[in-house]
Amino acid sequence: MTYTKRLPKPVVEQWDWQLQGNCRGQESAVFFHPDNERGPARRMRQARAKQVCHDCPVLMQCRQHALKTREPFGVWGGLDEDERRAIFSNRRSRQQEHQPAA
């Protein structure tokens, strides 16, 4: 039997927003690409996922989660992997601009 007492307890307040997501009940394949998916097929799938996100009542919570945890895969909060990487890159560039020269 697995010993679970040492595992962190779930914190409902941090995750209950997921219960209201438009993505609930959707196939995960809409949001996460299969191996070797490229080009138009990938763009079409991402567009479908982003359409689900478009009027989602928890869009901002989902996006904040993805950015905070650096979700590496899938569409989260209406942002795909490349868009999140661009945000991280822009943040890094701005931080470097504001650091004093050594």
Side-chain angles (χ1 to χ4, degrees):
M1 187 162 143
T2 304
Y3 184 71
T4 60
K5 290 192 184 257
R6 63 185 167 89
L7 297 174
K9 301 291 182 229
V11 182
V12 174
E13 298 80 30
Q14 293 180 359
W15 301 104
D16 66 345
W17 59 267
Q18 293 181 2
L19 298 173
Q20 286 113 36
N22 285 352
C23 59
R24 295 275 301 175
Q26 298 272 332
E27 290 290 325
S28 63
V30 173
F31 302 93
F32 298 94
H33 67 82
D35 290 340
N36 300 317
E37 180 187 57
R38 305 253 188 290
R42 188 172 195 154
R43 287 190 296 275
M44 286 175 48
R45 180 194 49 76
Q46 287 176 332
R48 284 193 309 273
K50 289 177 181 183
Q51 188 59 44
V52 172
C53 297
H54 179 72
D55 62 349
C56 183
V58 294
L59 175 95
M60 292 311 295
Q61 291 99 318
C62 184
R63 183 175 293 178
Q64 289 168 353
H65 163 77
L67 294 171
K68 181 178 179 182
T69 61
R70 292 184 163 269
E71 286 288 350
F73 303 108
V75 173
W76 289 81
L79 299 175
D80 63 44
E81 299 156 9
D82 294 333
E83 292 166 327
R84 289 193 305 277
R85 272 197 282 290
I87 290 170
F88 299 140
S89 179
N90 287 340
R91 285 180 181 174
R92 239 185 334 269
S93 294
R94 281 182 286 179
Q95 288 173 348
Q96 289 172 353
E97 287 174 7
H98 292 87
Q99 290 179 355

